[in-house]
Structure formats: structure tokens, C-alpha cells
Amino acid sequence: MVEHIYWSLLQWKDNQYVVAATELGICYIGSPNGKLDDLITWSNSYAKQSELIENDERLAPYIAQLQLYWKGEIRQISLPFDMRGTDFQRRVWNELQRIPYGDTVTYQHIANQLGKPSAARAVGTAIGKNPVLIAVPCHRVIGSNGQLTGFRGGLQMKQELLELEKACR
């Protein structure tokens, strides 16, 4: 059976984002000015029997919540997620959702929380595969030295998200 993945474009300030959801919830938020090809690549890996359907109406609730987040009016996306990944990746992504708004933690902290203190690099790899930027707040994870480290949306976006959260606390 073919699964439907609905997608739309979100324009925010100077950036455009591809946002996608299944019947179960949001499954993908692309990088700033990412291409539809990025969603196609993701769906070929995580939803092999799928059809991409542009549907602004179906994505409107998710897009509205993302816009409210960027305006500082909400602290988290409250609509359902459809996270696709390995068991370890999903455990990491669940842990990311426990990081309080406006706070940061290290990769090592996440590894410790998972009971895998030697897995900080694996945690970083899993975070890099987070398919729903912003909604699952991987931007709240920093290096052990306190520096901003890799982020699929770019370090400038990571810095902006952290500043937004600190200003709206």
C-alpha cells in the first residue's frame, strides 16, 4: 500500500522550508531554503512506498505552530509527530524533547541520560538525522566546550533559535 506524505512550503523571513506530514503527524522539516529534492531523498530512505502530495491545507496547522514558535508565542509544537529512524535515533530525539525551552545541554549529557556515556558521538550522529528541525529541538545541544556545533540548518540558524528562546523565557 502506498503511503501519502503531504507537503507544503513555509516562508519565514528570508527563508523557505519544506514541511511534510503523514496521516500520523509531522515527519519532516527541511533546512532553510532546502529543496523538495531533500524531502524526496528522505522519503526514499524512510518511506519507500510513498507518494508525495502537495497540500497546503493539510500542513496549515503545523506551519501555523512553527510561525507561532518563531514569534515567541509558543514554546513547542503540540501536534503529533511521525518520527522515522532507528530505535537509538528515536530515543535520542525523545530525549531532545525533554530539554527545557531556552536551555542547552551537551551531547555528553544526552548520552548519559540514555545510559550510554561512551556514545556522545553516536548521539551527535543521531541528532544530525533529526528530520524535524525546530519541532524536535536539536538546536539546544552544544559542544562540551560550550561552543555551537553542527546543525543541519546552519550555525547561524542555531544561534538565532537559541537567542529567540532566551529572549522569550
Side-chain angles (χ1 to χ4, degrees):
M1 184 172 162
V2 174
E3 176 180 30
H4 294 134
I5 298 177
Y6 306 97
W7 67 274
S8 185
L9 298 175
L10 161 62
Q11 185 71 38
W12 182 257
K13 295 188 179 177
D14 295 333
N15 296 310
Q16 181 172 277
Y17 300 84
V18 176
V19 181
T22 66
E23 297 290 339
L24 299 176
I26 193 166
C27 62
Y28 182 86
I29 300 173
S31 299
N33 299 314
K35 307 291 183 218
L36 184 59
D37 287 348
D38 299 333
L39 173 59
I40 292 168
T41 299
W42 177 87
S43 69
N44 286 340
S45 295
Y46 295 101
K48 293 183 187 340
Q49 299 294 319
S50 63
E51 176 184 4
L52 298 178
I53 301 168
E54 185 174 12
N55 189 319
D56 297 340
E57 185 177 322
R58 188 175 286 266
L59 272 292
Y62 297 102
I63 288 173
Q65 283 203 8
L66 286 164
Q67 291 170 330
L68 289 171
Y69 167 83
W70 274 314
K71 291 177 184 176
E73 295 178 18
I74 63 171
R75 293 179 171 218
Q76 67 185 31
I77 304 302
S78 62
L79 294 167
F81 294 97
D82 183 2
M83 302 289 287
R84 310 273 174 111
T86 67
D87 288 341
F88 181 74
Q89 288 170 337
R90 287 194 308 270
R91 287 181 59 211
V92 169
W93 302 334
N94 286 337
E95 198 61 40
L96 294 176
Q97 294 177 69
R98 291 186 179 93
I99 304 169
Y101 183 89
D103 287 351
T104 58
V105 301
T106 64
Y107 297 93
Q108 186 63 58
H109 173 84
I110 300 288
N112 292 342
Q113 291 298 109
L114 295 174
K116 300 195 173 282
S118 63
R121 285 183 188 252
V123 164
T125 300
I127 290 172
K129 300 277 187 182
N130 173 13
V132 287
L133 290 180
I134 305 151
V136 173
C138 53
H139 59 275
R140 296 179 189 155
V141 182
I142 60 174
S144 294
N145 61 1
Q147 298 296 308
L148 298 186
T149 57
F151 182 64
R152 184 166 50 96
L155 292 182
Q156 179 179 345
M157 180 183 182
K158 186 172 190 168
Q159 181 69 42
E160 290 170 2
L161 292 170
L162 292 173
E163 288 173 4
L164 167 74
E165 290 185 4
K166 287 188 188 321
C168 294
R169 279 180 99 173

